[in-house]
Amino acid sequence: MPEHECSESEALEWFSTVFAHRHQVEGPLYLAPSLNAAVHGACHCPIQERRPLLIYLHHDESIQCHTFCNDCLANTMTLELLAQSFNFWAWDVAQESRRSELPHLNETLHDILLEIASYDREQFPVLLLVSSADCLQTRCLFGRDLDRQKLYSTLMDFEEDHKRRTKYELDAMKLIQRMEEISLNHSATDQQVSVVPQESEHQTTTLPSSPKSDASGAGASS
């Protein structure tokens, strides 16, 4: 990233351009415009719109980082997967000012980024996977433990798990909504029944009186 002071978006644009030039990638990386935007797209937007997030943390003075980028991250299949299914954000911590700035770029991930910012150069690159369906899920990976195939399969597995948990959460929300609708319908029905007039328990029935007997009348006259 540039040594001079610049905004987060300018630093990301620089990283994307240099990455494409170094590793002969066609076109720039599809990076989120900011870490806040990337986290929002993974954790805070409507659940059906969320995508898992990959944060790539680079150290430009680490040979291991350059090897990882060339052998793994710059792979066409991996970049296509990231563009289609992930939010993607990257940062270079080689400069102390950038390293110090990292934890303060997003409040949700502040604590874990603060820990990563304390790592030695030899521990980079670091990849942080983030997903939020029913709850926030993070997974930290070290580039030294990954090859091209393992990186791709790890991303695929993480995406599938995100889809599964998202479907489960959406199904649960639909079930709760349906139960609430049924409850409201029952309440409305109960209210209608309660306003139907009820016969009084003290209501009496008057029966017609019996006609006088003709025979009894004749007896009286004699």
Side-chain angles (χ1 to χ4, degrees):
M1 286 186 171
E3 296 181 1
H4 61 273
E5 291 294 326
C6 64
S7 66
E8 180 185 355
S9 60
E10 291 172 329
L12 292 172
E13 184 178 356
W14 176 281
F15 183 94
S16 176
T17 302
V18 171
F19 180 93
H21 176 72
R22 283 180 179 175
H23 306 290
Q24 300 180 347
V25 174
E26 294 184 4
L29 293 178
Y30 292 97
L31 296 176
S34 68
L35 183 54
N36 279 335
V39 173
H40 177 80
C43 304
H44 305 307
C45 66
I47 188 169
Q48 62 271 22
E49 298 176 10
R50 296 178 190 175
R51 306 199 327 168
L53 166 63
L54 172 65
I55 297 175
Y56 172 69
L57 298 171
H58 181 85
H59 195 301
D60 207 44
E61 296 175 2
S62 166
I63 297 176
Q64 190 165 260
C65 285
H66 294 287
T67 301
F68 176 82
C69 285
N70 191 62
D71 294 346
C72 302
L73 192 57
N75 175 257
T76 301
M77 290 180 59
T78 298
L79 292 178
E80 287 179 352
L81 176 61
L82 292 174
Q84 294 172 3
S85 304
F86 281 76
N87 293 320
F88 184 31
W89 186 86
W91 199 249
D92 181 9
V93 299
Q95 300 172 36
E96 189 58 38
S97 60
R98 301 293 181 197
R99 181 190 290 260
S100 300
E101 186 180 7
L102 176 63
H104 305 288
L105 293 175
N106 180 258
E107 183 177 352
T108 301
L109 301 177
H110 173 274
D111 291 348
I112 190 168
L113 293 177
L114 183 64
E115 179 181 351
I116 293 174
S118 69
Y119 290 171
D120 294 332
R121 179 180 64 185
E122 290 73 20
Q123 293 177 277
F124 289 92
V126 177
L127 293 82
L128 181 62
L129 288 165
V130 182
S131 174
S132 178
D134 50 341
C135 62
L136 180 66
Q137 181 183 29
T138 61
R139 183 179 178 187
C140 190
L141 305 170
F142 293 96
R144 63 172 180 263
D145 300 325
L146 299 170
D147 58 23
R148 180 180 300 180
Q149 181 57 42
K150 189 171 183 179
L151 172 61
Y152 186 82
S153 62
T154 299
L155 293 175
M156 286 288 293
D157 290 345
F158 196 80
E159 181 201 9
E160 288 301 316
D161 181 67
H162 171 79
K163 289 180 178 179
R164 179 186 59 79
R165 293 192 302 120
T166 297
K167 183 180 183 303
Y168 178 85
E169 188 66 13
L170 287 172
D171 288 345
M173 291 169 63
K174 290 178 181 178
L175 178 60
I176 292 173
Q177 182 179 9
R178 179 57 181 157
M179 293 176 65
E180 290 175 346
E181 290 173 354
I182 293 173
S183 178
L184 288 174
N185 290 337
H186 283 173
S187 298
T189 302
D190 292 343
Q191 290 177 0
Q192 291 176 359
V193 171
S194 67
V195 299
V196 174
Q198 301 290 329
E199 291 186 354
S200 171
E201 295 180 357
H202 302 290
Q203 182 176 355
T204 58
T205 304
T206 304
L207 298 175
S209 57
S210 301
K212 292 182 179 180
S213 171
D214 293 339
S216 60
S221 59
S222 63

